[in-house]
Structure formats: C-alpha cells, structure tokens
C-alpha cells in the first residue's frame, strides 16, 4: 500500500509570496494533520481535518489555512510568507479508529 | 515547563549495547504515547506506540510507560549503526484529540 504522499518535495519562495502544499493520505484514512518542523525542533501541530471538517488548530497565525477534499486529500496554504516560515512541512494521516499517525515525506519550504 | 521533554543528547552507544531514551510529559491526562525515528533530512517514522502502564516489546524495541511518574522510555537492544537517528517522543492528551505534541528529540549515534 502506498503511504502518505506530499507535493512538492522542495519549494523556494520569496517573502510575501503565497504557497500551497498538497497531501494525499494513506488509502482508507480519513484524517489528515499538518505539522511544521524547524531545524533542531520537534514537529509543531498546525491543523487537523477529519471528514473535511477542521478538528483542531495549533498556535499559528491566520496566514496559515487548510482544507480537506471529498477524497480526503488536503491542502495547506500559507500567505504573505516570512523568512521564519522556512521549515519542513509534514502531513500525517490516521485511520479513524486508532491514534497512530503516519507521516509523509514532507515538503521542504525555503523562504528567501 | 515544556509539555514534552527529552534528554537532548547527543547520546553515543557502542554497537550491540542497549540504548536508553527517556521522555517526560507534563499533562497528567495524556493517554497515548509514541516514539518516532527520524533520519537526517527525512520525515518521522513511527516505531512504537504505547497506551497502558508497563512494557511493550516489538523486536529489538521496548517502550516503557509509567503514568504515575509521567515518564515514557524507549530501549533499543543490540544497537546497530542503522539505529543512528533522532528519536522523537510524542504525546496525545485525550482520545479524540489527535494533536501530537513532540519533544525536541534525542540524537542517537551507534558507534561501530
């Protein structure tokens, strides 16, 4: 079975630009969560979606938004990029009856 | 006080020895506990989950949970050079809340 997939793998943007990151969960998984990981730190929770509804939001500014589609794939959008948004963005999926979350390969975002 | 704390390391262990990784958490109602392995430049990989007090073994890995002491650990027996990675401890506070709260990780190096 295919794991969680994310696109693109790498992205370079300049300050003030907008970015959209995409994620497809493991087949059969209905829940998707997004995390941000900066170098030397553990991942930080951004959003959680289940059955297309937002179920949780971390301590991130309104520049960050997300949505989940009927096929359970998800997008993370970040507006007005700042240098500090440079990080590895991780998507995790979960089967609805278990708490174990499985991460995709991530998208490495660099903001110049 | 950080929600999830790990000894930051780096931790160096001879090949074939036991590596011991520790984690404490602050939220007493935490219910689910996970260990992820992260190789440099890669995304976190789930290696163990534990929900009840006591030990849980899977191959060379043993997770130990003590909810009274708010302590969870990971033992790696017969350490191999391929075990060299950063190990992340993660906690979910309540069932139904899927937010993973991570520690900063412990960098483990296995010395051949």
């Amino acid at each position: 079975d295919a794991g969680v997939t994310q696109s693109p793998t790498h992205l370079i943007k300049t300050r003030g630009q907008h970015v959209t990151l995409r994620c497809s969960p493991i087949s059969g998984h209905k829940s998707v969560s997004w995390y941000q990981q900066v170098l030397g730190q553990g991942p930080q929770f951004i959003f959680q979606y289940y059955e297309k509804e937002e179920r949780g939001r971390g301590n991130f500014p309104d520049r960050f938004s997300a949505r989940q589609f009927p096929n359970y794939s998800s997008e993370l959008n970040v507006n007005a990029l700042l240098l500090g948004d440079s990080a590895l963005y991780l998507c995790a999926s979960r089967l609805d009856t278990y708490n174990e979350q499985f991460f995709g390969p991530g998208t490495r975002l660099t903001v110049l | 006080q950080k929600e999830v704390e790990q000894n930051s390391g780096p931790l160096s262990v001879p090949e074939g020895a036991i590596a011991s990784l520790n984690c404490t958490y602050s939220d007493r109602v935490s219910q689910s506990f996970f260990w992820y392995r992260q190789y440099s430049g890669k995304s976190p990989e789930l290696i163990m989950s534990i929900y009840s007090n006591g030990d849980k073994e899977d191959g060379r890995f043993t997770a130990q949970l003590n909810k009274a002491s708010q302590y969870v650990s990971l033992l790696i027996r017969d350490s191999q050079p391929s075990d060299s990675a950063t190990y992340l401890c993660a906690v979910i506070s309540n069932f139904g809340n899927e937010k993973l709260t991570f520690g900063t990780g412990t960098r483990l190096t296995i010395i051949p």
Side-chain angles (χ1 to χ4, degrees):
Chain A
D1 285 343
V4 179
T5 60
Q6 291 186 244
S7 63
T9 54
H10 295 85
L11 205 51
I12 298 175
K13 293 285 189 178
T14 56
R15 282 176 295 174
Q17 285 189 311
H18 163 90
V19 68
T20 297
L21 310 181
R22 295 179 175 84
C23 169
S24 291
I26 294 170
S27 178
H29 287 199
K30 300 178 181 178
S31 175
V32 168
S33 297
W34 287 95
Y35 294 82
Q36 180 198 64
Q37 187 178 25
V38 298
L39 196 62
Q41 299 295 317
Q44 296 292 313
F45 173 74
I46 309 175
F47 283 110
Q48 179 210 124
Y49 278 81
Y50 178 75
E51 288 280 15
K52 302 178 289 295
E53 291 189 1
E54 183 181 305
R55 292 277 291 268
R57 183 184 186 115
N59 188 23
F60 281 80
D62 291 343
R63 300 184 295 107
F64 288 77
S65 64
R67 56 179 175 168
Q68 187 177 32
F69 299 99
N71 66 353
Y72 304 112
S73 67
S74 178
E75 283 183 354
L76 175 69
N77 294 283
V78 187
N79 292 323
L81 286 167
L82 303 174
L83 295 179
D85 295 331
S86 295
L88 179 66
Y89 287 85
L90 296 160
C91 174
S93 79
R94 183 186 79 102
L95 188 61
D96 59 0
T97 53
Y98 297 93
N99 274 330
E100 295 178 342
Q101 296 187 34
F102 300 90
F103 285 91
T107 294
R108 175 76 61 186
L109 173 64
T110 301
V111 182
L112 302 176
Chain B
Q1 182 186 8
K2 292 182 179 178
E3 293 180 76
V4 179
E5 294 202 58
Q6 298 182 245
N7 44 337
S8 58
L11 178 66
S12 295
V13 173
E15 184 176 354
I18 296 175
S20 177
L21 304 165
N22 304 315
C23 173
T24 58
Y25 58 94
S26 61
D27 189 346
R28 285 195 166 273
V29 300
S30 296
Q31 298 286 345
S32 307
F33 307 87
F34 307 90
W35 284 99
Y36 286 85
R37 177 175 63 198
Q38 187 172 27
Y39 293 114
S40 181
K42 302 295 185 182
S43 63
E45 173 191 8
L46 179 66
I47 54 173
M48 289 289 285
S49 59
I50 187 166
Y51 304 98
S52 305
N53 279 328
D55 294 359
K56 178 182 178 182
E57 186 174 318
D58 184 0
R60 296 186 295 111
F61 298 98
T62 299
Q64 300 174 316
L65 175 61
N66 184 326
K67 289 186 178 181
S69 300
Q70 295 175 237
Y71 175 89
V72 59
S73 66
L74 179 70
L75 300 178
I76 306 174
R77 291 182 301 280
D78 188 23
S79 297
Q80 303 296 310
S82 60
D83 295 327
S84 297
T86 295
Y87 288 80
L88 296 162
C89 173
V91 173
I92 292 179
S93 291
N94 292 298
F95 287 117
N97 173 359
E98 300 167 28
K99 168 190 169 184
L100 284 167
T101 300
F102 284 87
T104 56
T106 298
R107 187 168 180 180
L108 173 66
T109 299
I110 306 302
I111 304 169

